[in-house]
Amino acid sequence: MTVMFHSTLDDPAEWVPRLQALLPGEDIRVWPDIGDPAAVDVAVVWIPPEGALASFSGLRAVQSLGAGINQLGMQSFPPQVRVARLVDRGLTGMMTEYALLAALRYARNLDAHERAQRASTWDYIMPTGVGSFTVGVMGLGVIGAATAMRLAANGFPVCGWARTPKTLDGVRCFSGEAGLTEFLGQTRILVNLLPLTPQTENILNAGLFDRLPRGAFVVNMGRGAHLVDADLLAALDSSHLAGATLDVFRPEPLPEAHPFWLHPRILMTPHVAGTGDPDSAAEVVAENIRRAKLGETLLNEVDRARGY
Ligand code: NDP
Ligand code: OXD
């Protein structure tokens, strides 16, 4: 088996020795030193090198180094190519931690205190605690479900929304278009953990914000294209929304002139909410390389028609 590794974020010096130790005898090559492209059986990538996969005529599988797969451009892959997203306990843990941090910052008014400090103002805001801040988690998959449970374990009332009905301990679950309005109506901090698909693109828009209570907060950890930037700015500027925490953007990096950078009610981070931990994730990737060799279904294989 020939495996091609490429990432602009993940360090091959951390990944390749781990993969090699788990897959003795397999040939792991790091882009661009890959030799004959037709020999590549499996591509392990965050974003594939521009146009490269088209020349991998023997490609059997693509393993994403991210939990999301929209960045792979998989529409152009031949139908027999299997695609897997990354499910890794290290990544999931970091994502839940980020959501908890963002929710606690709002529940304990740290955003308001940051603004008051910048204005040298002693602004006493009576703390109310987390119990009065219902968090609504959009997307109850691997990361969304773990996030909802972690928030609930930390005292937040939590509700969740997904495409299909779910049951999660301590989380009030809603599903489908029919459940969305009730879900949003009780959400004070909205955390987006949806995958990007044609159905979820632009979902964080003016119509959705209008269904949140006045003074709600938005935390976008999914993808930049979930959010209609102008609608967020309008909702913040009218004070319908009180703040936003954004980890993902369209495009990344966000251009310097974008109004998000200097907005007093937006906290930005550069797509760092979670990353795969090679110590734990290399095992999952190695198992998928073994499965690709045997022509088996991959772990966390993406339903290509569904898009996640
Ligand atoms: P999963 O595939 O495990 O879960 C996706 C969830 O979204 C499922 O509950 C699914 O519902 C729900 N969903 C999908 N489409 C719809 C829809 N149209 N309406 C309602 N619900 C829908 O994904 P993960 O939890 O592993 O990851 C979620 C996303 O988080 C990734 O796709 C990625 O975009 C983002 N991410 C961001 C990172 C960052 O650093 N910022 C890091 C990692 C991930 P159902 O189960 O009913 O099908
Ligand atoms: C992602 C990731 O999908 O970093 O954004 O895993």
Side-chain angles (χ1 to χ4, degrees):
M1 286 282 280
T2 302
V3 177
M4 188 279 290
F5 183 96
H6 167 75
S7 175
T8 47
L9 300 176
D10 307 271
D11 184 357
E14 292 198 14
W15 278 86
V16 174
R18 286 172 173 81
L19 290 175
Q20 203 69 80
L22 291 161
L23 297 165
E26 305 298 4
D27 185 3
I28 302 174
R29 303 177 185 178
V30 178
W31 177 267
D33 300 322
I34 59 155
D36 177 10
V40 174
D41 299 290
V42 180
V44 178
V45 292
W46 162 238
I47 300 174
E50 181 90 41
L53 297 199
S55 60
F56 294 4
S57 51
L59 193 65
R60 303 181 196 200
V62 177
Q63 167 70 57
S64 173
L65 285 165
I69 45 83
N70 60 289
Q71 71 283 355
L72 296 176
M74 71 179 172
Q75 304 77 357
S76 65
F77 301 170
Q80 74 279 7
V81 173
R82 295 179 183 274
V83 178
R85 62 202 193 82
L86 187 65
V87 173
D88 165 49
R89 59 178 183 274
L91 169 62
T92 302
M94 284 178 103
M95 292 293 281
T96 65
E97 188 174 85
Y98 184 100
L100 178 60
L101 184 65
L104 282 170
R105 176 169 170 267
Y106 291 130
R108 292 305 311 267
N109 307 310
L110 289 188
D111 60 324
H113 291 302
E114 285 159 13
R115 286 191 296 276
Q117 182 184 351
R118 280 196 290 273
S120 306
T121 305
W122 186 272
D123 194 1
Y124 192 88
I125 306 169
M126 182 67 82
T128 54
V130 300
S132 53
F133 281 79
T134 298
V135 184
V137 180
M138 295 181 89
L140 293 172
V142 173
I143 296 172
T147 297
M149 308 278 274
R150 185 158 186 184
L151 288 160
N154 279 274
F156 283 95
V158 182
C159 55
W161 180 75
R163 189 177 56 89
T164 57
K166 308 276 181 237
T167 310
L168 286 176
D169 268 356
V171 179
R172 213 167 153 219
C173 295
F174 299 87
S175 60
E177 199 46 50
L180 186 57
T181 298
E182 195 182 346
F183 162 79
L184 293 170
Q186 57 190 258
T187 290
R188 185 104 183 260
I189 302 174
L190 182 71
V191 174
N192 175 40
L193 281 166
L194 290 166
L196 183 63
T197 66
Q199 290 71 40
T200 64
E201 188 170 358
N202 298 325
I203 193 166
L204 301 177
N205 60 33
L208 180 140
F209 298 149
D210 285 348
R211 288 185 271 171
L212 289 168
R214 190 170 175 80
F217 300 91
V218 170
V219 180
N220 189 17
M221 305 166 63
R223 285 290 181 260
H226 284 132
L227 176 66
V228 180
D229 295 5
D231 289 3
L232 175 68
L233 290 167
L236 289 170
D237 294 344
S238 72
S239 298
H240 178 66
L241 292 181
T245 301
L246 307 176
D247 185 55
V248 285
F249 304 90
R250 63 167 116 193
E252 294 179 3
L254 193 69
E256 222 180 298
H258 196 288
F260 284 173
W261 281 107
L262 296 178
H263 199 289
R265 291 189 177 263
I266 293 178
L267 176 67
M268 289 172 53
T269 52
H271 202 144
V272 291
T275 58
D277 174 0
D279 275 335
S280 47
E283 284 171 28
V284 183
V285 173
E287 174 58 21
N288 271 347
I289 293 168
R290 280 188 211 104
R291 288 177 179 229
K293 187 174 184 174
L294 299 171
E296 292 177 356
T297 305
L298 307 180
L299 296 175
N300 316 305
E301 186 163 327
V302 171
D303 176 338
R304 288 188 52 184
R306 198 177 63 167
Y308 67 98

